[in-house]
Amino acid sequence: MVDGKKQWKAWLYLLPVIILTLVFTVWPIINTVRIAFLDDYTLMDDVGGMEFSVGVHNFEKVVNNPEFLTCLKNTLLLTVITVPISTFLALLIAVCLNSIKALNRLLQTIYFLPYVTNTIAIGIVFSTMFSMVGTGFGGENPYISTAGIINNIIGIFGIEPVNWVNTGSTYWANMFVMIVYIVWNALPFKILILLGGLQSVNKQYYDAAKVDGTGRVRTFFRITVPMLSPMLAYVVITGFIGGFKEYSSVVGVFTEDMGPPDKQGALNTMVGFINHNLMSGSPREGIASAGAILLFIIIFAVTMLNMYVSKKRVHY
Amino acid sequence: MKVVLKELTKIFPGRTKKAPEVIAVNKFDFEIPDGKLVGLLGPSGCGKSTTLYMICGLQKPSSGKIFFGEDDVTDLSPENRGVGLVFQNYALYPHMTVKQNILFPLQNFKGADRLTKAEMLERAYNVAKLVQIDDLMDRKPSELSGGQQQRVAIARALVKMPRVLLLDEPLSNLDARLRLQTREEIKRIQRETGITTVFVTHDQEEAMSISDIIVVMKLGVVQQIDKPQNVYDDPVNLFVAKFLGTPPINVFEGNVTEGKLYIGEDCVLDVDGVEDQEVFIGIRPEGFIYDESGPFHCSLRNVEVMGRDVSIVSTNESSLNPIIRSIVDADNKIDVSAEKVSFSLKPHKVFIFNKETEERIRFGKDPEQAPKTESKEE
Ligand SMILES: Nc1ncnc2c1ncn2[C@@H]1O[C@H](COP(=O)(O)OP(=O)(O)O)[C@@H](O)[C@H]1O
Ligand SMILES: [Mg+2]
């Protein structure tokens, strides 16, 4: 045990971290809850010493706000669609990577690159890849000067160019780009975790299965997947949490407009909603805080649900 | 069914270009008789597991052939050989119950071999009864003791009624007591099923007690194949003599001069017909006779009483072991305060070995010492 004198020193060393955590994490959380439950709170009046009545006025405003419902819908859709896809793809790729010997290191590095690349930068690249530059496309004078690489590629197969992200693009075209982008961006982390899991599975289980004449598919589903289940659960749970916090990916592709130029905010997310209201809502901080708390409740509930499911399905 | 190994060889390439290749198993020739339990014995790294994995098909031999009965199985994949394998650490699937573990191999059967659910369950319960785990069927492996896991592993290997059962150091993860008990169990199960069995171990006592036949290996090369008692009583070289027996054999440097065996100045034994030469001499602990007028003199260290026997610990300049341990009858009245102790020797417990080759040099007319012609099994 640490004796009294040493304990005193230990606290001293921890002090900077404790202070920073208190100021920048603990207090903001407490203050968010406080603000959310103060009716029509504004920072100016708070500083001015005004008293607010306690209530759920902010929450009423949030849930009655059509913009909030759009954000909720977008966030839910993106999460529910991308998490299963990216988890499945990551599992597939991890298994492939694990089974090839040649170029193993190089491929792992390549798959890991998106993880260390800036989200906004990737987003800009994506929006360029999917863009459809060229004036007058579809008008009386249809000519395309340059289109993004995606439209060029699908053009090779004789498919008409699609307006993915530019003015006049449809909601699902936008969503498609976002899904591809988010899945691609989520892969490296998931692959890394699952590959680590695969490499830690004792080879003897596979030898035992082989001696018993177990087919490849059965080996995968009855041995590999159960052995990976803790990692799969981890990847899914963090995937859901990440999905509900989706924001910078939309900014990366669509800029702060959160949608194509003619439909601003069409792809806004929960975090986007909170951000925008902090800048321009009314009452600004009140609504943003209430939104943040709703987001927290959703993430908390979904995580609980995930944990409950994984308790039954995960073999530690 | 008998298993025949013909010049079975496994060479692992070196890890790098410069690293030498490893000959893990070198020209293993052996016919395992039908229904016998064969103990594969040798120090760690001598190629026991590699041999086993080649028999079961998880590793391909570099050269040589394997026959099950009359069938050449050398190029068959493991699932087509009909072998049951028990791994050193059991490799039970941790996420499945005992029942699911045992059922797992049966569920892989395809086509005409496919069993109904009821048949599978019946077979699983029968084999579980055989290894006495039928009351543990709904537990997970993590809820079992080491000995119980071991039985589950055997049950899983037996349930598909393999033609050959292979066990890779199956007792090494058990504590001493359980090890004794479980090896009796394995022996019983093997007898009841009559399955040809290969049992790998580095523990000579285990191999001696359980095997019908022992194969002693060293650095990938088979040294001796015989019944356990014969290997102990009649080792072919110094390695085998040293590897078997507890307490271990006492080894001395000495020489043969004019038909007499000398250890230091002491002329300890007549060895007729052996040419004059430097030799290693191995004397089993039970080969000493406490004899005040005996020809072999040692410095007495201490005496350990073990009830029925007495263990005399002494030293001698020519001994290669730091101490000499001799076991004599407790009826001997030993003068514990004396500085010297003298022995005479039982000739059939004394082995002499060529100093260069470490091969056995046989002497005298004693039947145990006479060169053996082919010790064929029944
Ligand atoms: N996969 C492998 N690659 C290279 N060398 C190996 C491999 N497996 C075993 N060996 C070598 O072969 C020899 C025999 O190994 P093994 O059969 O496992 O010994 P044992 O089971 O008797 O302890 C050892 O020297 C070991 O290092
Ligand atoms: Mg081994």
Side-chain angles (χ1 to χ4, degrees):
Chain A
M1 278 314 292
V2 192
D3 61 42
K5 210 169 174 185
K6 280 209 183 119
Q7 210 165 42
W8 179 86
K9 270 192 179 168
W11 283 111
L12 183 69
Y13 296 144
L14 281 173
L15 205 58
V17 179
I18 291 173
I19 291 175
L20 288 174
T21 314
L22 285 176
V23 172
F24 290 108
T25 307
V26 178
W27 169 243
I29 291 174
I30 295 169
N31 205 24
T32 304
V33 177
R34 185 181 80 96
I35 292 169
F37 287 97
L38 294 178
D39 282 350
D40 293 324
Y41 172 97
T42 64
L43 184 61
M44 283 310 240
D45 292 341
D46 197 11
V47 174
M50 184 173 158
E51 299 272 325
F52 304 96
S53 57
V54 175
V56 293
H57 192 198
N58 290 326
F59 290 93
E60 281 171 12
K61 278 201 156 179
V62 168
V63 295
N64 290 323
N65 186 340
E67 197 199 334
F68 174 77
L69 295 179
T70 309
C71 295
L72 184 61
K73 184 186 85 175
N74 289 339
T75 308
L76 282 175
L77 276 176
L78 285 176
T79 308
V80 169
I81 295 171
T82 59
V83 171
I85 296 178
S86 62
T87 306
F88 176 77
L89 283 180
L91 182 59
L92 202 72
I93 294 170
V95 169
C96 292
L97 276 179
N98 193 40
S99 66
I100 47 176
K101 299 278 166 296
L103 301 179
N104 193 317
R105 285 284 167 83
L106 178 71
L107 287 168
Q108 284 186 26
T109 311
I110 290 174
Y111 277 96
F112 195 62
L113 274 180
Y115 191 67
V116 292
T117 312
N118 181 289
T119 313
I120 304 287
I122 301 173
I124 292 168
V125 172
F126 260 72
S127 90
T128 310
M129 280 165 57
F130 279 94
S131 77
M132 173 177 272
V133 185
T135 49
F137 172 73
E140 305 112 54
N141 183 18
Y143 80 94
I144 306 165
S145 56
T146 44
I149 191 165
I150 300 293
N151 275 331
N152 277 315
I153 288 173
I154 63 175
I156 296 172
F157 300 101
I159 301 171
E160 288 287 304
V162 177
N163 189 350
W164 297 108
V165 292
N166 300 107
T167 304
S169 54
T170 63
Y171 175 72
W172 279 107
N174 301 160
M175 278 300 263
F176 180 82
V177 176
M178 285 318 303
I179 288 164
V180 173
Y181 169 79
I182 292 171
V183 166
W184 184 74
N185 203 21
L187 281 180
F189 177 71
K190 292 189 164 76
I191 292 172
L192 190 77
I193 299 288
L194 295 179
L195 199 58
L198 280 174
Q199 281 162 355
S200 67
V201 175
N202 190 336
K203 210 182 138 285
Q204 288 210 326
Y205 294 124
Y206 294 113
D207 281 344
K210 213 194 263 171
V211 173
D212 291 339
T214 318
R216 291 183 80 136
V217 176
R218 186 169 145 85
T219 304
F220 180 77
F221 284 106
R222 291 298 304 276
I223 296 172
T224 307
V225 170
M227 293 282 175
L228 273 185
S229 58
M231 292 80 189
L232 282 169
Y234 174 73
V235 156
V236 167
I237 291 173
T238 54
F240 268 100
I241 294 172
F244 282 112
K245 295 194 304 184
E246 212 59 72
Y247 171 60
S248 52
S249 52
V250 183
V251 175
V253 177
F254 291 103
T255 75
E256 285 282 354
D257 290 349
M258 303 304 275
D262 57 331
K263 277 188 283 179
Q264 296 198 357
L267 290 174
N268 203 357
T269 62
M270 298 277 283
V271 172
F273 175 85
I274 296 166
N275 265 1
H276 287 197
N277 276 289
L278 271 178
M279 289 184 280
S280 60
S282 167
R284 304 198 317 199
E285 296 85 355
I287 292 215
S289 299
I293 285 176
L294 287 176
L295 178 59
F296 167 76
I297 290 170
I298 292 171
I299 291 180
F300 186 77
V302 169
T303 305
M304 284 296 117
L305 183 71
N306 272 324
M307 302 270 241
Y308 175 75
V309 173
S310 61
K311 211 173 213 160
K312 297 195 157 167
R313 299 238 156 248
V314 172
H315 315 283
Y316 289 101
Chain B
M1 189 195 44
K2 68 177 183 187
V3 174
V4 184
L5 312 179
K6 279 218 173 106
E7 303 221 320
L8 197 61
T9 301
K10 179 73 186 179
I11 300 173
F12 291 110
R15 279 201 157 270
T16 56
K17 286 240 167 64
K18 273 184 204 146
E21 53 184 29
V22 179
I23 306 176
V25 179
N26 198 349
K27 298 203 172 134
F28 196 145
D29 257 321
F30 185 36
E31 182 172 326
I32 303 171
D34 182 25
K36 292 284 176 204
L37 197 163
V38 170
L40 211 52
L41 174 67
S44 184
C46 73
K48 308 180 295 290
S49 298
T50 308
T51 307
L52 209 65
Y53 289 159
M54 284 194 285
I55 297 175
C56 82
L58 284 173
Q59 276 178 355
K60 267 198 144 348
S62 309
S63 65
K65 295 248 169 247
I66 303 167
F67 296 88
F68 283 5
E70 302 306 319
D71 311 336
D72 183 349
V73 298
T74 315
D75 295 319
L76 280 188
S77 54
E79 66 267 26
N80 298 325
R81 292 191 186 192
V83 292
L85 178 61
V86 176
F87 289 88
Q88 183 167 351
N89 52 10
Y90 320 139
L92 296 176
Y93 307 123
H95 53 283
M96 297 183 202
T97 62
V98 169
K99 187 169 25 178
Q100 288 168 331
N101 263 288
I102 299 177
L103 284 173
F104 194 82
L106 296 181
Q107 290 158 346
N108 290 327
F109 287 5
K110 291 198 188 71
D113 298 336
R114 183 105 204 147
L115 303 174
T116 65
K117 273 225 162 74
E119 286 171 326
M120 287 189 204
L121 273 177
E122 194 190 328
R123 269 182 56 183
Y125 271 95
N126 282 344
V127 71
K129 271 200 200 88
L130 180 72
V131 300
Q132 299 170 348
I133 48 156
D134 44 325
D135 50 341
L136 305 172
M137 293 295 259
D138 293 317
R139 298 221 199 149
K140 291 271 179 71
S142 58
E143 297 159 350
L144 301 178
S145 72
Q148 290 167 334
Q149 290 184 30
Q150 164 62 243
R151 286 154 194 258
V152 178
I154 294 176
R156 188 178 65 178
L158 284 177
V159 73
K160 54 186 174 175
M161 301 186 180
R163 301 196 282 176
V164 179
L165 179 63
L166 307 167
L167 304 131
D168 190 2
E169 312 224 7
L171 305 181
S172 58
N173 286 347
L174 304 182
D175 61 55
R177 229 189 133 103
L178 209 51
R179 206 176 303 165
L180 277 179
Q181 205 181 331
T182 313
R183 80 186 185 202
E184 295 309 315
E185 282 288 295
I186 290 179
K187 185 83 194 154
R188 174 183 68 80
I189 294 163
Q190 196 270 335
R191 284 236 179 82
E192 280 176 30
T193 55
I195 295 178
T196 311
T197 302
V198 182
F199 181 102
V200 162
T201 177
H202 63 264
D203 181 336
Q204 53 91 18
E205 219 179 315
E206 204 168 283
M208 297 264 279
S209 67
I210 201 172
S211 316
D212 296 317
I213 304 168
I214 282 190
V215 178
V216 186
M217 292 181 75
K218 175 195 179 187
L219 297 174
V221 182
V222 174
Q223 306 290 307
Q224 188 166 7
I225 302 179
D226 211 331
K227 290 183 185 170
Q229 195 63 44
N230 291 352
V231 179
Y232 181 80
D233 288 337
D234 191 16
V236 297
N237 59 30
L238 183 59
F239 174 81
V240 176
K242 284 207 285 201
F243 202 75
L244 274 83
T246 28
I249 197 164
N250 301 289
V251 183
F252 303 87
E253 279 178 309
N255 62 71
V256 176
T257 311
E258 291 168 357
K260 307 262 185 238
L261 180 64
Y262 287 87
I263 299 176
E265 301 293 304
D266 300 338
C267 172
V268 295
L269 213 62
D270 284 347
V271 286
D272 298 332
V274 180
E275 283 177 30
D276 291 4
Q277 59 187 301
E278 300 271 300
V279 291
F280 287 121
I281 300 144
I283 307 173
R284 293 278 182 214
E286 68 273 24
F288 295 86
I289 301 164
Y290 182 73
D291 179 357
E292 273 163 32
S293 57
F296 186 34
H297 309 290
C298 298
S299 313
L300 183 64
R301 202 40 114 63
N302 59 296
V303 174
E304 293 166 10
V305 181
M306 306 186 295
R308 191 159 43 89
D309 302 320
V310 173
S311 172
I312 302 172
V313 179
S314 57
T315 57
N316 184 297
E317 281 185 357
S318 301
S319 174
L320 295 181
N321 316 35
I323 57 158
I324 303 160
R325 192 176 283 277
S326 40
I327 294 176
V328 301
D329 202 279
D331 293 343
N332 289 294
K333 293 277 165 286
I334 297 158
D335 180 3
V336 185
S337 61
E339 290 199 347
K340 291 273 169 199
V341 59
S342 299
F343 301 104
S344 53
L345 303 176
K346 300 175 186 167
H348 68 283
K349 292 288 178 185
V350 179
F351 312 119
I352 57 180
F353 304 95
N354 182 298
K355 200 143 194 184
E356 265 88 59
T357 63
E358 301 191 352
E359 289 299 316
R360 176 84 173 280
I361 302 166
R362 292 167 194 280
F363 61 88
K365 294 179 252 357
D366 190 290
E368 288 290 354
Q369 291 282 2
K372 282 244 169 78
T373 50
E374 287 287 280
S375 60
K376 269 270 174 196
E377 271 296 305
E378 286 85 303

